Amino acid sequence: MARQEQVLVLEPQHELKFRGPFTDVVTATLKLTNPTDRNVCFKVKTTAPRRYCVRPNSGIIDAGGFINVSVMLQPFDYDPNEKSKHKFMVQSMLAPFDMVDMEGVWKEAKPEELMDSKLRCAFEMPLENDKTTEHSVLPKSASASLDDAEVKKIMEECKRLQMEVQRLREENKQIREDDGLRKRKVTSMAAPHSSSSTMVTSSMRDEGLSTRLLALCVLFFVIGVIVGKLAL
């Protein structure tokens, strides 16, 4: 008696594609959908079990449900001249209503109750221009993943620093004008050490404000660079 047709819907249907480079684990996803009104048992088998890790490799798909199977290809030395001969088989059967032990069900299953679908494996290496495109996209993708609240917070901090720099500039200008006015009012009869003390105090105040102003300008420039990168 011929076997039944596969009731599960496979995505992809015929081929699992693995995109290199293969110096690390490469994962392909196989989606199994059960469109029937019965639970379906499934198993995923391969002709190269040492080269792949499949999770989950067996289980039950509820009626009308689906499951994503991760097929992980282990790292290996890729030879573009060697065609892949690896294959996968998805085996399934309708789950008995009184099923208790799934392994026991598989052992007792009759050949006519089993359904299967086969998929071949294909290995692909990215082209050089694809690599360039991927690298150029990475910064933009990273910036896009940032939370909007974080970007808004940085913009507000940038605006606050700009106002702080402007305020310090005006304060520094006012202090210089006040010091100039005081110097002009100092009489020639004032004690030399008093005049010297006033000049030292004024110089220290100017130096402190200049240092603060320079530090804020540098910080403002750094945040401006960060915001500029985020906008790319």
Side-chain angles (χ1 to χ4, degrees):
M1 185 175 178
R3 288 190 177 185
Q4 301 182 48
E5 289 188 12
Q6 177 66 270
V7 296
L8 296 179
V9 178
L10 280 64
E11 297 179 38
Q13 290 185 341
H14 307 295
E15 187 177 71
L16 285 174
K17 292 184 178 181
F18 298 89
R19 190 172 178 81
F22 302 99
T23 55
D24 202 351
V25 175
V26 180
T27 303
T29 300
L30 174 62
K31 182 178 181 181
L32 304 178
T33 302
N34 177 12
T36 72
D37 57 358
R38 293 273 303 274
N39 291 351
V40 175
C41 302
F42 77 93
K43 278 186 177 182
V44 181
K45 300 180 179 180
T46 178
T47 57
R50 294 185 178 181
R51 298 286 293 275
Y52 299 90
C53 181
V54 182
R55 293 290 183 274
N57 59 3
S58 64
I60 301 175
I61 305 176
D62 294 335
F66 71 91
I67 190 169
N68 288 323
V69 177
S70 296
V71 182
M72 292 163 276
L73 173 62
Q74 303 305 304
F76 72 103
D77 294 329
Y78 174 69
D79 183 357
N81 298 319
E82 182 181 352
K83 292 186 178 181
S84 172
K85 297 180 181 179
H86 302 164
K87 294 181 181 179
F88 276 83
M89 181 175 71
V90 178
Q91 197 172 47
S92 63
M93 63 177 293
L94 296 175
F97 294 105
D98 57 349
M99 185 184 72
V100 178
D101 179 19
M102 188 170 63
E103 287 300 322
V105 168
W106 283 108
K107 292 179 181 178
E108 297 173 4
K110 299 177 182 179
E112 60 270 19
E113 295 176 337
L114 300 177
M115 298 166 281
D116 60 63
S117 299
K118 294 183 174 68
L119 299 95
R120 59 181 177 272
C121 299
F123 302 151
E124 297 179 350
M125 285 294 289
L127 300 176
E128 290 299 324
N129 55 351
D130 290 343
K131 293 180 181 179
T132 304
T133 303
E134 289 175 1
H135 287 307
S136 63
V137 169
L138 280 177
K140 188 173 182 180
S141 300
S143 64
S145 65
L146 288 176
D147 189 82
D148 292 340
E150 294 180 1
V151 176
K152 184 178 180 181
K153 184 177 180 181
I154 292 176
M155 295 296 292
E156 290 177 351
E157 181 67 14
C158 185
K159 185 177 180 180
R160 188 190 68 79
L161 286 173
Q162 187 177 14
M163 294 176 64
E164 180 70 12
V165 169
Q166 182 63 28
R167 186 186 68 78
L168 286 174
R169 284 176 179 171
E170 294 176 356
E171 183 179 342
N172 195 23
K173 180 180 179 181
Q174 185 64 38
I175 290 175
R176 289 180 182 275
E177 292 177 354
D178 291 345
D179 286 346
L181 184 60
R182 283 197 298 270
K183 289 177 183 178
R184 286 194 295 270
K185 289 183 179 180
V186 173
T187 63
S188 58
M189 299 299 296
H193 70 275
S194 177
S195 176
S196 175
S197 176
T198 300
M199 294 179 64
V200 169
T201 302
S202 174
S203 176
M204 291 176 64
R205 186 183 303 149
D206 288 347
E207 182 179 353
L209 284 172
S210 298
T211 302
R212 289 173 60 193
L213 182 60
L214 177 59
L216 282 172
C217 287
V218 171
L219 182 58
F220 177 67
F221 173 76
V222 172
I223 292 181
V225 171
I226 295 174
V227 173
K229 290 183 177 181
L230 291 176
L232 294 178

